[in-house]
Amino acid sequence: MTRAWSALTGHPAAVAPLLLGAVLTHRTADGAVGVRITEVEAYGGVGEDPGSHAFRGRTPRTEVMFGPPGRLYVYFTYGMHWCANVVCGPPGSASAVLLRAGEVVEGRDLAAARRPTARRDGDLARGPARLTAGLGVTGDHNGIHLDDPTGDLWLDLDESRTGVVRQDVVRSGPRVGVSGPGGDAATFPWRFWLDGDPTVSVYRAAAPRRRTARTAPSRGQSLP
DNA sequence: GCTGCGATTGACT
DNA sequence: GTCAATCGCAGCT
């Protein structure tokens, strides 16, 4: 079958695997970087998926998720990282697919310049925040349409250009880093990746709770 | 208005 | 293997 935007409107867990192999291209004055998607995660809508930002309803941040499919939802996390999602549900459903990792297929040098800490080409877009960094995607791109081949950001779904993904290499499993109320969200097998691809991110189970980073000023601290 | 913490990464032991 | 960085959002007072 041929991937098309019309086929990418539906339940995120059904849409997510269809995005594997698609190529997201970002064009800037510096040049273009293209990333072939190798790993994704599905996030459901209001009241359905505790791991989703939209679980508790519409907020200013999640506004884009509630809009029409085919747009990019970009959010800021950990005070320094951007993560990119493709909105896939019909308006109001707030479903999206997180782009977790990919392979740089165009503009390797530009991507490497944006990711100076990457040691290998395979690390240029391995991980959700690395993928956005390599592409040069930030919050400025939140809400942008991805279905315009002439736009700054374009998600190419045409298998005659991106290559056909063999379904027997598509794997699924628990999502990464998700620990919603009750922890149930992490158990949804809504993570999809291309088996054996070196750009797929390392699986780490969601940490229950990291030790408080900030050590409170010790009460018994001695003064000089 | 205040506070806790996160769909992460890179540096360090 | 452990842990800090860093800030906007969401929930609560």
Side-chain angles (χ1 to χ4, degrees), chain A residues 1 3-4 7-8 13-22 40 157 159 165 167:
Chain A
M1 65 148 248
R3 275 189 305 237
L8 296 188
V15 171
L18 298 178
L19 291 176
L20 294 173
V40 295
L157 301 174
E159 290 172 328
V165 171
Q167 292 305 300

Side-chain angles (χ1 to χ4, degrees), chain A residues 98-164:
Chain A
L98 170 69
L99 306 180
R100 283 201 58 88
E103 170 195 7
V104 175
V105 293
E106 181 185 359
R108 191 213 79 90
D109 291 346
L110 180 53
R114 289 170 174 155
R115 294 261 306 110
T117 59
R119 304 197 146 186
R120 301 172 303 156
D121 283 3
D123 290 340
L124 290 173
R126 188 176 69 144
R130 292 166 170 174
L131 183 145
T132 57
L135 278 170
V137 166
T138 69
D140 291 342
H141 301 97
N142 190 37
I144 201 170
H145 290 264
L146 297 172
D147 53 359
D148 178 7
T150 65
D152 292 344
L153 270 168
W154 175 44
L155 185 62
D156 190 359
L157 301 174
D158 192 327
E159 290 172 328
S160 68
R161 288 185 295 265
T162 66
V164 176

